[in-house]
Amino acid sequence: MSVSLATELGVRRLLVVAGQAPSVLNTQPWRFRVVDREFVEVFADPDRRLRISDPRGRNQYVSCGAALFNLRLAVRTAGQRPLVWLLPIPEEEPELLAAVRMGGPLPVPEEYRELYDLIPVRRTSRHPFADRVLPRAVRAELRQAAGREGAGLVFLDRHATDDMLDYAAIAEEELGHDHDYRAELAAWTMPGTHYDGLPGYVHGPRPLRDPAPVRDFGLQAGKAEFEERPQLAVLTTMGDRPADWLRAGQALQRVLLVAARHGVSASFLNQSLDLRDMRKRRDPHHRRGHPQMIIRLGYGLPVARSPRRPAAELEAV
């Protein structure tokens, strides 16, 4: 793979790879700019920010952090060192979240090649998972993946999982009474309502039992029996500021790619975090850090890919 910034083809390949990152409600809220054929800059796209459910911009930063990880991985797999600056000039360009420079040559470990090849394979699945426990070695590898990006991954025990499912159900019920929230959710998930013409992204069936281990996006196709014991993990950072959100996004994507390498699927259960953000509350500092993502992990069947923005739309002016 060539990712040379000296050619239009190389730039296009970088944009395609970065744009395959996961994002909140599949908003893909990023743009990129190549500067002097030396840097790639990552911008938050203000037109794709969730104004109601993400007033602090936290989810947008996490999403852009995931795209930044893909960008780094593409550069690294091309045999070059990615030199990264987070929030390089926040006072002058607050929407400029990161800059990546192509550094000197480096050998490419097989691990990086494997993760790069998994970028188009990774999926978010809202379908039932098998009642099969993740092996201890896989959990350890996922925790290590988060740690390499300066984040933590806390697997919840049975009691904490039950509590988290209850919190998600309570938050979803409260959010369901917010007209503006429901309208924003529908605008990004319902077919025919997406403002830029993309179809709504993949939905799964509605769980037969409560509390549900998946979010209710209002368009579940049928009903299904989900796993009896969902396996939840919380991605955390020691701080709760924009730079921490970008680190969380990079950690999230590394975790998801490592999970895909082991055939592990993932979805997200972030209603309680959305409600926290909408109320403009901050978590008190505690030993395990600030929750940034609540991840459901397990073994599921392959699912369709969510629609992606054309690469031509991703270049910032």
Side-chain angles (χ1 to χ4, degrees), residues 172 181 185 203 206 212 214-220 269 271:
E172 187 156 287
Y181 174 86
L185 188 69
H203 296 265
R206 188 182 302 275
V214 290
R215 297 191 68 165
D216 183 359
F217 292 114
L219 195 66
Q220 275 83 346
L269 207 66
Q271 300 96 310

Side-chain angles (χ1 to χ4, degrees), residues 178-196:
D178 188 313
H179 177 270
D180 292 336
Y181 174 86
R182 287 189 289 109
E184 183 178 70
L185 188 69
W188 286 98
T189 61
M190 296 294 186
T193 60
H194 205 300
Y195 86 93
D196 60 5

Side-chain angles (χ1 to χ4, degrees), residues 269-286:
L269 207 66
N270 292 324
Q271 300 96 310
S272 56
L273 301 184
D274 286 352
L275 189 60
R276 177 198 67 184
D277 288 348
M278 289 171 64
R279 290 175 172 174
K280 299 181 181 180
R281 293 180 177 174
R282 292 180 179 271
D283 287 326
H285 182 79
H286 46 84

Side-chain angles (χ1 to χ4, degrees), residues 145-160:
R148 291 177 67 174
E149 300 298 330
L153 189 68
V154 181
F155 283 90
L156 303 185
D157 61 22
R158 181 170 178 173
H159 178 73

Side-chain angles (χ1 to χ4, degrees), residues 128-133 158 161-162 165 209-213 224-232 296:
F129 293 161
D131 284 311
R132 174 185 169 192
V133 177
R158 181 170 178 173
T161 294
D162 289 342
L165 292 172
R209 293 180 298 173
D210 291 325
E225 189 74 41
F226 277 66
E227 61 269 27
E228 184 176 354
R229 288 293 169 191
Q231 299 174 83
L232 302 184
R296 166 181 165 252

Side-chain angles (χ1 to χ4, degrees), residues 26-273:
N26 199 36
T27 49
Q28 302 169 59
W30 44 62
R31 286 191 183 274
F32 308 94
R33 182 170 68 194
V34 177
V35 180
D36 297 330
R37 299 295 182 180
E38 293 183 5
F39 292 87
V40 181
E41 296 178 331
V42 181
F43 288 85
D45 187 339
D47 292 334
R48 304 180 78 87
R49 177 174 168 182
L50 300 171
R51 302 291 176 181
I52 304 302
S53 61
D54 192 26
R56 293 197 293 162
R58 184 186 64 82
N59 274 321
Q60 185 175 42
Y61 276 61
V62 171
S63 301
C64 290
L68 172 61
F69 181 83
N70 278 4
L71 187 61
R72 288 172 44 207
L73 187 58
V75 174
R76 187 68 178 84
T77 307
Q80 295 174 274
R81 182 192 302 273
L83 305 175
V84 181
W85 291 264
L86 296 182
L87 305 170
I89 45 175
E91 297 82 8
E92 297 178 26
E93 289 193 88
E95 291 170 0
L96 174 57
L97 305 188
V100 181
R101 183 175 183 177
M102 312 281 276
L106 279 179
V108 185
E110 184 60 29
E111 174 197 6
Y112 287 94
R113 298 186 191 277
E114 291 179 359
L115 294 184
Y116 177 82
D117 289 341
L118 287 165
I119 288 175
V121 175
R122 181 213 60 81
R123 299 282 191 273
T124 298
S125 175
R126 299 172 185 85
H127 289 259
F129 293 161
D131 284 311
R132 174 185 169 192
V133 177
L134 268 65
R136 184 174 300 178
V138 172
R139 292 188 177 211
E141 194 170 335
L142 296 177
R143 281 193 294 265
Q144 182 184 46
R148 291 177 67 174
E149 300 298 330
L153 189 68
V154 181
F155 283 90
L156 303 185
D157 61 22
R158 181 170 178 173
H159 178 73
T161 294
D162 289 342
D163 286 345
M164 187 64 73
L165 292 172
D166 285 339
Y167 297 152
I170 293 168
E172 187 156 287
E173 182 177 4
E174 184 166 343
L175 291 169
H177 295 297
D178 188 313
H179 177 270
D180 292 336
Y181 174 86
R182 287 189 289 109
E184 183 178 70
L185 188 69
W188 286 98
T189 61
M190 296 294 186
T193 60
H194 205 300
Y195 86 93
D196 60 5
L198 287 177
Y201 65 102
V202 180
H203 296 265
R206 188 182 302 275
L208 288 170
R209 293 180 298 173
D210 291 325
V214 290
R215 297 191 68 165
D216 183 359
F217 292 114
L219 195 66
Q220 275 83 346
K223 295 185 177 182
E225 189 74 41
F226 277 66
E227 61 269 27
E228 184 176 354
R229 288 293 169 191
Q231 299 174 83
L232 302 184
V234 180
L235 185 75
T236 66
T237 53
M238 293 311 296
D240 192 31
R241 297 186 179 277
D244 300 296
W245 305 337
L246 289 171
R247 293 187 187 97
Q250 293 173 87
L252 174 67
Q253 179 65 340
R254 185 185 281 270
V255 167
L256 294 178
L257 292 177
V258 170
R261 186 169 63 188
H262 291 283
V264 175
S265 299
S267 63
F268 307 101
L269 207 66
N270 292 324
Q271 300 96 310
S272 56
L273 301 184

